[in-house]
């Protein structure tokens, strides 16, 4: 796999040394069956840098591992930044690799979003700004370990996010009047089956366990929306914006769920018939009291 083409933003575990299984900390929860401090290898990580229970992660209490995506940062840090070295070589290499991975991973996530934004056919001025941001983000991600460890990722993200938001707003308006603005809304377990969410702004919305059965999400911006346990059975996400595979992996769905182009139906989704949705006219999304 090349580290220069668009495929560089897809994780390739065969070209990494298991960084995501060592560098981050795990806290025992519904997502992880154990506590694991940062820098300590997961007990299921083999000497070949492969997960020994990969095919059974959900059954063994590690659903959080199934939805993690490094956006290709793992192989870049391993193969490019460290020239193929392994964190097992010595303690100094390990610490530096882990610190570097913690910076490159969010930069690669930004690269993915910027690539998606450019594919939305933004107006010329915005396209130029997005292309510049893409080039700058890629330049930063290609820095040496000492430079990367001092990089203020949050500051860079703060400069890029307004461009991504503008790209999403432009795309949402293209199909008609933009839908409701529910960015960052706390919608835990909410029944949204009769809410009109077409072209809605759902950036960063907390849709954990939300009931979205049969909902049309065409044109909705789902950047960073938390879809853990959300019920997407029969939902139409074919025209949704910025939907990453890991979001689908964290949700529930079935054979009736319509996916965005290029996304894969998760293996754990059921093949059960769609639960009937009330035949009521969608209503406007209600806002929380300020």
């Amino acid at each position: 796999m090349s580290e220069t083409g668009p495929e560089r933003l897809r994780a390739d575990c065969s070209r990494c040394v298991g960084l995501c299984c060592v560098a981050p900390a795990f806290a025992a929860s519904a997502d992880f069956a154990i506590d694991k401090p940062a820098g300590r290898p997961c007990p299921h990580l083999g000497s070949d840098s492969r997960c020994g229970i990969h095919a059974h992660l959900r059954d063994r209490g590690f659903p959080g591992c199934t939805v993690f995506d490094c956006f290709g940062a793992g192989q870049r840090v391993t193969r490019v930044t460290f020239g193929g070295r392994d964190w097992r070589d010595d303690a100094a290499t390990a610490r530096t690799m882990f610190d570097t991975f913690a910076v490159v991973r969010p930069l690669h996530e930004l690269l993915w979003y910027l690539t998606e934004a450019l594919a939305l056919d933004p107006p010329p001025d915005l396209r130029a700004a997005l292309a510049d941001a893409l080039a700058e983000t890629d330049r930063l991600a290609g820095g040496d370990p000492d430079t990367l460890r001092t990089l203020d990722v949050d500051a860079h993200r703060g400069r890029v996010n307004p461009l991504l938001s503008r790209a999403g707003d432009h795309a949402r308006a293209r199909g008609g009047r933009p839908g409701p603005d529910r960015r960052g809304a706390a919608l835990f377990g909410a029944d949204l089956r009769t809410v009109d969410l077409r072209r809605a702004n759902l950036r960063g919305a907390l849709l954990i366990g939300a009931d979205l059965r049969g909902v049309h999400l065409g044109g909705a911006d789902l950047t960073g929306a938390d879809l853990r346990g959300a019920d997407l059975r029969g939902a139409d996400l074919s025209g949704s914006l910025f939907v990453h595979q890991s979001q689908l992996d964290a949700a529930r769905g079935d054979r009736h769920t319509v996916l965005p182009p290029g996304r894969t139906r998760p293996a754990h989704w059921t093949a059960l018939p769609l639960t009937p949705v009330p035949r009521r006219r969608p209503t406007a999304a209600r806002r929380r009291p300020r």
Side-chain angles (χ1 to χ4, degrees), residues 12-270:
D12 183 355
C13 297
S14 69
R15 295 173 58 78
C16 181
V17 287
L19 292 175
C20 67
C21 302
V22 186
F26 300 164
S29 63
D31 290 324
F32 300 103
I34 60 172
D35 284 319
K36 186 194 81 64
R40 178 184 296 175
C42 172
H44 300 295
L45 180 67
S47 59
D48 60 353
S49 297
R50 299 293 173 267
C51 175
I53 61 168
H54 186 266
H56 308 286
L57 283 167
R58 289 182 177 276
D59 297 337
R60 298 285 292 272
F62 291 87
C65 295
T66 69
V67 301
F68 178 82
D69 196 318
C70 75
F71 296 90
Q75 65 256 27
R76 185 172 194 166
V77 171
T78 300
R79 300 292 173 176
V80 179
T81 314
F82 285 85
R85 281 182 288 165
D86 195 314
W87 53 269
R88 299 174 181 87
D89 293 343
D90 61 76
T93 295
R95 184 70 269 159
T96 306
M97 284 191 83
F98 301 157
D99 290 345
T100 301
F101 178 71
V103 174
V104 176
R105 192 268 174 192
L107 291 175
H108 265 232
E109 183 177 12
L110 281 176
L111 287 173
W112 185 86
Y113 279 112
L114 287 163
T115 301
E116 289 286 300
L118 285 166
L120 295 175
D121 192 26
D125 61 331
L126 180 54
R127 170 174 287 278
L130 288 166
D132 288 345
L134 180 72
E136 175 62 8
T137 304
D138 197 32
R139 185 191 69 79
L140 292 173
D144 61 76
D146 289 338
T147 301
L148 285 164
R149 291 169 73 182
T150 62
L151 179 66
D152 189 339
V153 177
D154 288 338
H156 181 66
R157 186 187 289 113
R159 293 188 289 271
V160 172
N161 274 340
L163 299 176
L164 296 173
S165 184
R166 284 175 56 196
D169 290 345
H170 182 269
R172 288 192 304 119
R174 184 182 296 127
R177 183 177 180 180
D181 187 345
R182 301 308 307 273
R183 77 184 81 186
L187 298 168
F188 302 92
D191 186 345
L192 302 172
R193 287 176 293 173
T194 60
V195 178
D196 188 354
L197 293 176
R198 290 171 294 179
R199 299 185 295 280
N201 186 342
L202 294 168
R203 292 173 62 89
L206 301 175
L207 293 160
I208 301 169
D211 192 342
L212 290 158
R213 285 175 291 166
V215 173
H216 197 309
L217 290 160
D221 186 342
L222 289 165
T223 301
D226 194 335
L227 295 174
R228 284 178 293 170
D231 195 339
L232 298 176
R233 286 178 290 171
D236 187 348
L237 290 84
S238 58
S240 301
L241 312 176
F242 301 112
V243 179
H244 190 264
Q245 184 65 45
S246 64
Q247 290 173 296
L248 300 175
D249 292 341
R252 300 169 56 202
D254 64 7
R255 60 190 176 88
H256 298 280
T257 308
V258 186
L259 303 180
R263 308 301 181 263
T264 303
R265 196 173 308 278
H268 70 278
W269 281 14
T270 68

